[in-house]
Amino acid sequence: MSDDDAHLIWVLADDRTGNVNQAIGVAEALAQPFKRVDVGYTKFARLPNALRRASLLGVDVASRTRLVAPWPDLVIAAGRRTAPVARWIKKQSQGHTRLCQIMRPDGGERAFDLIAVPAHDRMPPRDNILEIPGAPHRVTETRLLIEADNWRPHFKGLPSPRVALIIGGNTKNAVFTADMAREVTGRAIEAVKAVDGSLLVTTSRRTGPQNEEIIVQMLGSSGVAYHLHDWSSDAENPYFGYLALADMIIVTADSVSMCCEAAAAPGGVYIYAPDGLASQRHQRLHQALYDGDYARPLLAKTEIVPFKHPSLQPARMVAQRCLELLSSPVS
């Protein structure tokens, strides 16, 4: 790529890891250089976007020093709080900057050149809205090949087939209970015992110490071979290695990102979605993944077996539309 072909692209990155990964996933899918611009907030970021509008209201002083010309050709951002910042940048550029916003901007929708929303969000149709089958992410086939080579020696002693158990936890609207922790861990252990395989297990900061203790005790007394990652440790996170090398993946239903990342991996995906854990919005996502043959529901009598499915890559859909924006004249 020559310098003349490259565009100046910014990714607005705040303190929401899931949002940042979605925006960076789209930027990486563009296969062009981009600049990450970190954005920190003050208490005023909690104000509704109808009040913040196209402004830096709620953005801290350190971040403001990074938001300076030359203004980019394209801004990629995700989440409600970044939307006023993106609109402000477009205003400073006198309309030159194109805006790609992932998820609902909650105000000023006409200012955005592209709004990418998962179909399960059911946003009213507009010319600048692109519905995508799930959340953008960074789990590509190339990355999985690299991670497989990196982690294969670490899991050499674990017999195949391998089942990855990816456990989230509590959300703003739901509790991941001790009974849920027991049930999903028990189902994974049963699946491994049935095929003389092994388990690759990771929890998250939302799992909770009580549930983590239950999971550790069940694994320790199970008699199956397993690898357990403690999310709070300083050890290298094997999450992408799990996705790359698992023959089957069990993922809890509480996280859109976890479900979509699992659906990008080659292993057969089973979503654990007991009553009370997944919101209606999340349930719509799960159904879309089932309908698209990306995943299967983990029901009471579900047999956990390997199966092939397409790789879920919504970031590429968004990146293609961004390229079309960059190649078209500014109106």
Side-chain angles (χ1 to χ4, degrees):
M1 181 185 301
S2 70
D3 290 341
D4 291 338
D5 294 329
H7 295 280
L8 183 56
I9 299 170
W10 286 6
V11 172
L12 301 185
D14 62 11
D15 57 351
R16 302 286 176 89
T17 303
N19 292 353
V20 175
N21 284 337
Q22 292 189 49
I24 291 179
V26 171
E28 289 174 341
L30 285 168
Q32 296 191 28
F34 65 89
K35 176 183 177 181
R36 171 176 170 150
V37 181
D38 290 311
V39 178
Y41 300 112
T42 70
K43 62 182 180 181
F44 295 108
R46 293 193 290 266
L47 292 171
N49 285 357
L51 295 177
R52 292 178 65 205
R53 300 174 66 84
S55 77
L56 297 185
L57 178 64
V59 176
D60 64 24
V61 173
S63 302
R64 291 173 185 240
T65 64
R66 294 187 282 270
L67 296 167
V68 294
W71 304 113
D73 301 300
L74 175 68
V75 167
I76 304 171
R80 181 193 71 83
R81 294 185 302 171
T82 60
V85 184
R87 292 175 60 193
W88 178 86
I89 293 169
K90 184 171 187 175
K91 185 176 180 180
Q92 304 311 302
S93 75
Q94 299 182 341
H96 168 78
T97 301
R98 308 297 180 88
L99 302 184
C100 169
Q101 192 71 20
I102 302 166
M103 297 183 290
R104 294 173 180 265
D106 286 344
E109 283 78 7
R110 292 184 179 180
F112 296 91
D113 301 277
L114 177 63
I115 302 172
V117 291
H120 64 270
D121 277 351
R122 292 184 176 176
M123 194 168 176
R126 297 177 60 97
D127 290 342
N128 60 344
I129 288 177
L130 172 67
E131 278 197 347
I132 52 177
H137 54 72
R138 304 177 67 188
V139 183
T140 64
E141 294 90 343
T142 300
R143 181 169 190 177
L144 289 171
L145 288 172
I146 293 170
E147 296 288 353
D149 287 342
N150 181 35
W151 286 99
R152 192 174 285 109
H154 296 267
F155 306 149
K156 188 176 181 180
L158 297 176
S160 294
R162 301 186 181 105
V163 177
L165 175 57
I166 301 170
I167 301 175
N170 299 328
T171 66
K172 183 169 57 177
N173 300 313
V175 176
F176 184 69
T177 66
D179 286 342
M180 292 176 185
R182 291 188 189 95
E183 182 178 36
V184 72
T185 306
R187 292 296 303 277
I189 291 171
E190 290 171 4
V192 165
K193 284 184 174 180
V195 293
D196 296 323
S198 58
L199 273 172
L200 307 172
V201 184
T202 182
T203 57
S204 79
R205 60 179 177 79
R206 296 184 290 105
T207 306
Q210 178 187 4
N211 290 332
E212 289 174 4
E213 185 176 347
I214 290 169
I215 294 162
V216 169
Q217 289 178 349
M218 290 184 68
L219 291 173
S221 62
S222 68
V224 304
Y226 67 91
H227 183 280
L228 173 64
H229 175 65
D230 179 357
W231 67 270
S232 63
S233 75
D234 293 330
E236 186 179 359
N237 192 334
Y239 174 70
F240 292 106
Y242 286 2
L243 294 181
L245 294 169
D247 299 285
M248 294 155 279
I249 301 170
I250 299 173
V251 58
T252 57
D254 49 278
S255 167
V256 168
S257 293
M258 291 195 320
C259 290
C260 293
E261 288 167 353
V269 180
Y270 294 87
I271 298 176
Y272 174 70
D275 291 342
L277 183 59
S279 67
Q280 288 189 347
R281 173 175 166 268
H282 285 193
Q283 290 172 26
R284 291 197 297 268
L285 167 69
H286 304 152
Q287 190 60 54
L289 295 179
Y290 305 149
D291 292 344
D293 294 326
Y294 296 106
R296 297 176 181 176
L298 183 59
L299 304 175
K301 295 184 179 181
T302 300
E303 182 183 6
I304 301 172
V305 296
F307 67 90
K308 294 188 179 297
H309 61 89
S311 179
L312 182 70
Q313 297 293 337
R316 292 176 188 163
M317 297 174 62
V318 184
Q320 179 59 43
R321 288 288 294 271
C322 287
L323 290 173
E324 292 170 6
L325 285 174
L326 289 170
S327 64
S328 62
V330 177
S331 56

